[in-house]
Amino acid sequence: MKVAASLYKENSFIEGKNKENLILDQAHLVLGFGSRDLISNPNSFDAIKNKFPNAEILLCSSSGEIYDNEVIDNTISITAISFSKTKIKTSEVDINDFSTSFEAGSSLINTFPQEDLKLVFVLSDGGKVNGSELVKGMNHAKKESVLITGGLAGDGAKFEKTYVGLNKVPEIGKIIAVGFYGSQLEVSHGSLGGWESFGLERTVTKATDNVLFEIDGKNALDLYKTYLGKYADELPGSALLFPLSIKLNESEDPIVRTILSIDEKNQSMTFAGDIPLGSKVRFMKANFDRLIDAASDAASTCLKMNTSNPKLAILISCVGRKLILSNRTEEEIEAVSEIFGDKTLLTGFYSYGEISPLKPMANCELHNQTMTITCLNEID
């Protein structure tokens, strides 16, 4: 397995990183994460296709590109991969062809033969697709031994339109994936947030999909404002600082849900993922150092699953973390880089949702506000 990275900016490639002398027209797979306007421009796709003529090309829009240990905007971060033993298969579905995101997720996974399948890496539209239902559908269709990771495409901080494309110019509404086959492929994953929970654990008593109305029989928005104190006057912007911890059942670790908007008229809160009735929730708050430490811990989790340092680490972090960390954003990438060292190439993007199991090789979950890492390596 060989990997190489390059950056596409202002209609041209910037000299990249290719320590292993990967021959570009022998690349089997190309991953590209970039700004909405640039990734959806036909000229960008033509340039990438010309540079990597024989590769399967997966592209998605981002809320910031990860290129080595940097975080950059208004570019396309490109990673090319060639395999010596691993086989890959790609697939695409359109959310408009299905009545639910569950059906779309199930259909996507069913396009992959399950024998010898190790990993399915998914990139989904981040606006039209219900990420929670998507992962439920994928889990329903997969074999127990298959790992699923990935993320939802971003659109900066605009939350208007996201684009995803497989071997063509990215479009709205697409869900794409690449399946990796073979016993020589070593995969690992980690996903951590670093948020601090506070207050009592409470029960969701009224909610519809990702819209929350009541907690413990009380108006959720009023309760939330009480906890926010002085930050309540800064809603909805301050909501990024105070996501929700949600425990789907007693046996599982909690996951994090970002608040996308509040509705004063309907006294409701809309989240970037479903809030099931009866689930247990706690409010959370940001601790900058713990957010960065969590990124480091996610990388350490990957290393514990590996026999050696991975060749490639795909980092998918949340746009909320980027907005909160602001000029400290690169610190979480640098923390990951320190764990892996210079033998591991880093790539990735800031997303509208991260897809990864909570526990090693378990079913995938939709996360918000986490650093999620997928690692690849071929072993003898």
Side-chain angles (χ1 to χ4, degrees):
M1 176 179 171
K2 293 183 178 181
V3 295
S6 56
L7 203 62
Y8 185 79
K9 184 178 182 180
E10 296 176 350
N11 299 317
S12 63
F13 287 93
I14 297 173
E15 185 175 349
K17 303 174 187 297
N18 191 359
K19 294 180 181 179
E20 299 177 296
N21 297 316
L22 186 153
I23 300 171
L24 300 187
D25 63 6
Q26 293 181 5
H28 298 112
L29 177 65
V30 167
L31 303 174
F33 313 115
S35 64
R36 182 184 87 180
D37 293 341
L38 197 56
I39 206 87
S40 62
N41 188 324
N43 293 333
S44 301
F45 175 77
D46 290 343
I48 296 170
K49 182 63 178 176
N50 288 336
K51 194 174 183 71
F52 306 100
N54 299 308
E56 298 284 333
I57 300 173
L58 283 72
L59 304 173
C60 84
S61 60
S62 79
S63 295
E65 300 82 64
I66 297 170
Y67 177 71
D68 199 29
N69 59 358
E70 299 179 79
V71 179
I72 312 172
D73 293 301
N74 302 314
T75 67
I76 302 176
S77 176
I78 298 168
T79 303
I81 312 164
S82 68
F83 299 98
S84 59
K85 304 176 183 72
T86 301
K87 304 299 183 183
I88 62 170
K89 180 185 185 305
T90 58
S91 186
E92 172 190 275
V93 297
D94 191 316
I95 190 61
N96 297 306
D97 295 334
F98 302 91
S99 58
T100 67
S101 295
F102 180 98
E103 292 176 4
S106 181
S107 177
L108 179 70
I109 297 304
N110 282 330
T111 63
F112 291 97
Q114 298 282 300
E115 187 176 355
D116 294 328
L117 180 61
K118 293 285 290 287
L119 166 69
V120 179
F121 181 74
V122 179
L123 297 171
S124 170
D125 178 283
K128 300 184 70 176
V129 175
N130 181 319
S132 296
E133 290 300 308
L134 176 71
V135 299
K136 289 177 185 177
M138 294 192 297
N139 286 330
H140 176 75
K142 81 178 186 73
K143 282 177 59 177
E144 185 178 349
S145 60
V146 175
L147 173 65
I148 299 177
T149 65
L152 307 186
D155 178 25
K158 303 186 191 79
F159 294 92
E160 293 173 352
K161 294 182 287 187
T162 65
Y163 292 84
V164 176
L166 172 62
N167 296 323
K168 61 183 178 182
V169 179
E171 300 172 350
I172 296 170
K174 302 296 184 182
I175 309 167
I176 64 176
V178 53
F180 298 83
Y181 293 82
S183 59
Q184 276 75 37
L185 181 69
E186 187 172 65
V187 298
S188 59
H189 63 89
S191 182
L192 289 169
W195 297 84
E196 293 182 347
S197 297
F198 67 99
L200 299 174
E201 183 176 79
R202 299 173 182 272
T203 303
V204 174
T205 51
K206 185 179 180 181
T208 303
D209 296 328
N210 64 332
V211 181
L212 175 63
F213 295 94
E214 291 182 4
I215 300 174
D216 284 348
K218 300 176 183 177
N219 181 276
L221 183 55
D222 285 344
L223 189 62
Y224 186 65
K225 288 180 177 179
T226 299
Y227 272 100
L228 261 61
K230 64 179 182 179
Y231 291 99
D233 294 333
E234 301 174 21
L235 286 171
S238 60
L240 285 172
L241 297 169
F242 299 92
L244 200 68
S245 164
I246 176 170
K247 188 181 288 187
L248 301 177
N249 59 66
E250 290 299 328
S251 63
E252 293 289 345
D253 293 330
I255 56 179
V256 182
R257 285 285 177 261
T258 298
I259 299 162
L260 294 179
S261 63
I262 60 172
D263 188 329
E264 294 284 0
K265 181 179 179 181
N266 293 318
Q267 288 291 287
S268 64
M269 306 162 65
T270 300
F271 289 80
D274 287 353
I275 309 291
L277 195 67
S279 56
K280 304 295 184 180
V281 296
R282 292 182 70 187
F283 294 115
M284 309 185 84
K285 59 184 177 181
N287 178 310
F288 286 73
D289 290 333
R290 285 193 62 180
L291 294 181
I292 294 166
D293 288 344
S296 176
D297 291 343
S300 296
T301 299
C302 291
L303 281 187
K304 290 175 183 177
M305 298 174 65
N306 283 14
T307 59
S308 60
N309 270 48
K311 281 284 185 73
L312 177 66
I314 307 169
L315 281 54
I316 302 180
S317 189
C318 182
V319 60
R321 295 172 70 91
K322 184 169 182 271
L323 295 173
I324 290 164
L325 289 169
S326 187
N327 58 4
R328 294 188 64 183
T329 301
E330 282 191 353
E331 289 185 36
E332 72 168 353
I333 311 303
E334 292 166 356
V336 172
S337 180
E338 287 178 6
I339 296 297
F340 286 131
D342 59 6
K343 293 182 179 180
T344 302
L345 181 68
L346 304 185
T347 189
F349 69 104
Y350 282 81
S351 73
Y352 284 176
E354 305 83 60
I355 298 171
S356 175
L358 278 168
K359 298 178 180 178
M361 307 305 291
N363 280 348
C364 64
E365 301 282 357
L366 175 71
H367 305 271
N368 304 134
Q369 300 282 20
T370 64
M371 167 61 79
T372 292
I373 305 174
T374 304
C375 291
L376 302 177
N377 195 25
E378 274 188 321
I379 55 175
D380 295 329

